[in-house]
Amino acid sequence: MFKWIKDKFSNDTKENSVEEVKEKIEESVLVEEENVSEELSQNHEAISEEPNLDKKFFENKESNEEEKIIENESLDKKAQGEDQKFEEESEEVEKELPLLERLKRGLLKTRNEMGVKINTILGSYVKIEDDLLEDLEDILISADVGMTTTMTLIDNLRDTIIKNKINDPSLVKTLLKEEVKKLMDKNINSELSNKSPLIILVIGVNGVGKTTTIGKLSARLKAEGKKVLIAAADTFRAAAIDQLKTWGDRAVVEVIAHSEGADPAAVIFDGISAAKSRNSDVLICDTAGRLHNKANLMKELEKINKVIDREYPEAARENILVLDATTGQNAISQAKTFKEVCNPTGIALTKLDGTAKGGVVIALQSELKIPIKLVGVGEKIEDLQDFNMDSFIDAIFD
Ligand SMILES: Nc1nc2c(ncn2[C@@H]2O[C@H](COP(=O)(O)OP(=O)(O)OP(=O)(O)O)[C@@H](O)[C@H]2O)c(=O)[nH]1
Ligand SMILES: [Mg+2]
């Protein structure tokens, strides 16, 4: 493969053996992890610098026993107060993290798999040659970019390198990022509809993060000043309804629910009536992930769509397909199945914080042409972000 490069450049340009390159990658991943934990501990130190309670306690050792007991009690109280203050401040620091920093932290595992490894590989070559592109190919595949997308990316990159007579490995990453953006289609619309009234139907197999995403999304839309309502149309089990109500409480958003086993279309019907009478901007509908097979899924979604079309034709629609990034290429096959039975208008990709398989984003958007609209980078209410292609690519490649 890549014979052209072999012919073009001599093989003795490669400085390191494959073993040395592997060692370098491992080293740089370790260094990266150490840097991050050092950064976090510095943050914590900054918060807990003051006051030194142990020191204060020992300074009081001259006082009598009674005083000591009183002193101890008050120190205990103070320490408890400080602990609580510390926790609150830590949370504040977390909340105040700029969006980009939060995204970068959530994508750290993927970045170690891609950006850090790519830097090491590129640093180990003095010229662009056959093996360099093969090493890049391996990295992309191991970050779950997928075989088809990886081959297309590397082929396009090779063409650009030949066409522009590029020979400097340090330029390869910028070129690769550009190729990724082209393949993902810069012009695809990643924005969640801003229309009102809007119905967001949230679909996806079980456990991918539908309910959690609904909770986070309602809080966000509410913070933007929208009137939000949730319909608990996952009636498969009582716990699902309770879980949604808990999220509704957290986000301070009303949840329209029936009991376990009720007809999901009837819940949506009630949700629409409530949304109309309350003049809501957005109605978000949870759906069941346990539909076992495509025929059942199709039947249920058809019924729900019929109710929406009949009862709320004036409402704008979003069908958000939730996919779990930790399942890597499996997420692609789920997206293909859903694309056959309904019309997903966007993808919410969850659990990116827990995986090095974030490269799946590239394959999802370029192969299926469904825009990624939301990304989940943690379990907290504020860990849902709008998908911004440039920030995302910078976060995983740099
Ligand atoms: N780390 C992490 N965990 C997440 C994220 N999104 C969801 N989860 C977790 O994934 C698990 C499943 O989430 P749910 O929201 O219950 O998933 P669901 O799709 O509604 O599942 P069913 O109702 O069973 O179909 C929960 O433990 C969530 O906390 C995320 O972005 N990051
Ligand atoms: Mg659920």
Side-chain angles (χ1 to χ4, degrees), residues 312-368:
Y312 218 6
E314 66 273 34
R317 297 281 307 269
E318 283 272 14
N319 292 333
I320 295 296
L321 173 61
V322 182
L323 298 170
D324 175 346
T326 63
T327 63
Q329 291 299 300
N330 208 0
I332 306 262
S333 36
Q334 284 169 26
K336 284 181 181 158
T337 308
F338 275 88
K339 214 179 162 187
E340 284 166 22
V341 298
C342 60
N343 169 34
T345 56
I347 289 170
L349 192 64
T350 61
K351 310 186 197 179
L352 276 159
D353 53 306
T355 183
K357 298 177 177 177
V360 73
V361 165
I362 303 170
L364 269 174
Q365 191 161 298
S366 54
E367 283 178 36
L368 292 152

Side-chain angles (χ1 to χ4, degrees), residues 139-150:
I139 293 172
L140 295 177
I141 288 170
S142 71
D144 250 305
V145 174
M147 190 61 90
T148 321
T149 308
T150 299

Side-chain angles (χ1 to χ4, degrees), residues 204-213 216 234 237 240 243 286-290 350-354 376-379 383:
V205 304
N206 61 297
V208 287
K210 294 181 296 299
T211 307
T212 312
T213 302
K216 295 172 183 173
D234 175 4
R237 55 201 170 94
Q243 187 195 0
D286 198 5
T287 63
R290 287 153 216 265
T350 61
K351 310 186 197 179
L352 276 159
D353 53 306
V377 288
E379 288 181 277
D383 287 329

